Amino acid sequence: MSAKLERLSQILRIVFDGRLHSLAEDRGEVTIEVSAEDYLEVARTLRDHAELRFEQLMDICGVDYSTYGNAAREPGRRFATVLHLLSIEHNWRLRLRVFSADDDFPVLDSVCELWPSANWQEREAFDLCGIMYSGHPDLRRILTDYGFVGHPLRKDFPVSGYTEMRYDDEAGRLVYQPVTIEPRENTPRVVREAGYGDAGHV
């Protein structure tokens, strides 16, 4: 670990004594994980503390860990929100991860009041992963259609979706109907010439 990352890790351990579920340094990046209850206050401290000053939110993404690593998953460890933060003053970056406690209805606090740029990014995580953000000023879909049912980036969402849209000449409008395509597994197929890889094959 570089001296700079070691210094950041020490500050994080001191400032958030007892509130960090984990702190890891991997591939030149520091990641911390906190509980949903501490999330908003930890985020505020990351922004305002003089030794941290993560004044810029680079990205927010929703993650579905339902089949992560093909391992048995503990309850309350399916849906996470991951923030990537930048401190311009100290020139360091941090990844903050928080899991929603409820797998059936994931809810976390919104950080829009801390970083206004979180607005559309939280809407995207809501739209695609179904994570709700309490206190968000305008939580509605941003990428899918208004009448869309489901959340496309959930790992249990079918590849072809649940409904399809088509134009009906008789009705003179778009209509929604159940998907008429049989669900199938997308398995990559590799087609090669006979003798591919043999010595002397060009």
Side-chain angles (χ1 to χ4, degrees):
M1 182 184 291
S2 70
K4 184 177 178 180
L5 292 183
E6 182 62 41
R7 173 70 180 143
L8 173 58
S9 298
Q10 287 175 352
I11 295 169
L12 290 167
R13 286 190 184 98
I14 292 167
V15 171
F16 300 116
D17 183 35
R19 287 191 285 175
L20 295 182
H21 283 210
S22 67
L23 185 152
E25 189 274 327
D26 186 30
R27 295 176 182 86
E29 297 179 347
V30 175
T31 301
I32 62 172
E33 184 182 315
V34 298
S35 68
E37 297 78 34
D38 293 331
Y39 172 49
L40 189 58
E41 194 51 44
V42 166
R44 188 185 315 280
T45 304
L46 286 169
R47 185 194 66 176
D48 297 341
H49 195 284
E51 291 188 84
L52 296 170
R53 296 289 299 146
F54 287 98
E55 60 269 80
Q56 192 162 1
L57 172 69
M58 303 304 293
D59 184 37
I60 293 179
C61 57
V63 185
D64 181 356
Y65 284 94
S66 66
T67 57
Y68 182 72
N70 298 319
R73 185 179 40 79
E74 303 170 34
R77 301 282 294 177
R78 177 173 178 182
F79 294 104
T81 293
V82 179
L83 284 71
H84 295 93
L85 304 171
L86 170 66
S87 171
I88 297 170
E89 182 176 330
H90 299 295
N91 190 27
W92 50 34
R93 294 174 183 267
L94 177 71
R95 182 182 298 114
L96 169 62
R97 180 172 57 194
V98 57
F99 282 89
S100 170
D102 186 352
D103 291 341
D104 295 324
F105 188 70
V107 180
L108 292 168
D109 289 318
S110 172
V111 293
C112 285
E113 66 173 87
L114 304 177
W115 298 286
S117 63
N119 189 318
W120 281 26
Q121 296 174 14
E122 287 181 347
R123 283 180 61 188
E124 181 181 43
F126 159 68
D127 191 1
L128 300 180
C129 290
I131 301 170
M132 303 291 290
Y133 293 95
S134 176
H136 190 286
D138 186 22
L139 193 63
R140 59 192 163 99
R141 290 190 182 275
I142 193 169
L143 294 173
T144 58
D145 190 34
Y146 297 115
F148 192 86
V149 176
H151 304 282
L153 291 186
R154 286 193 174 188
K155 292 184 178 177
D156 53 6
F157 189 82
V159 174
S160 58
Y162 295 109
T163 59
E164 63 186 22
M165 178 179 64
R166 66 176 177 81
Y167 184 79
D168 188 317
D169 287 323
E170 293 177 13
R173 63 180 178 85
L174 293 174
V175 295
Y176 293 87
Q177 62 189 34
V179 172
T180 56
I181 303 168
E182 286 295 319
R184 63 181 178 11
E185 284 290 321
N186 284 340
T187 307
R189 199 176 105 193
V190 178
V191 178
R192 294 193 173 118
E193 306 167 9
Y196 178 86
D198 292 346
H201 183 271
V202 180

